[in-house]
Amino acid sequence: MAGQHIENLFRRFKGETISLKTISGGIYEGRVVEITNDYVCLSDTAAADSKPVFIFFTAVESMTATVPNE
């Protein structure tokens, strides 16, 4: 997927909780807080003092949007 397309995808989910799987097998969950043309920044939704996680687009294998419980 071209960089611009993946950037636009993450922009649609800004503020939402997602789950990302990386090529190396790591799984990251969090709220999308920042998107640039190189990376996406996720913040943990459970902890108030959590550190942000920055994931480069080239490392992303797949993404799943988390649907909130109703």
Side-chain angles (χ1 to χ4, degrees):
M1 185 181 289
Q4 184 66 45
H5 295 297
I6 196 166
E7 179 183 346
N8 290 338
L9 175 69
F10 284 122
R11 289 199 187 281
R12 290 182 184 151
F13 290 98
K14 187 167 185 176
E16 301 294 325
T17 302
I18 64 168
S19 177
L20 276 178
K21 182 177 179 188
T22 61
I23 294 171
S24 63
I27 297 176
Y28 301 92
E29 289 189 25
R31 187 171 44 92
V32 178
V33 293
E34 182 181 350
I35 305 108
T36 69
N37 60 344
D38 295 317
Y39 63 85
V40 61
C41 177
L42 301 180
S43 177
D44 188 10
T45 55
D49 61 343
S50 68
K51 296 187 186 319
V53 176
F54 298 88
I55 303 168
F56 284 97
F57 294 156
T58 55
V60 175
E61 181 178 319
S62 63
M63 182 207 79
T64 305
T66 306
V67 179
N69 295 334
E70 294 182 13

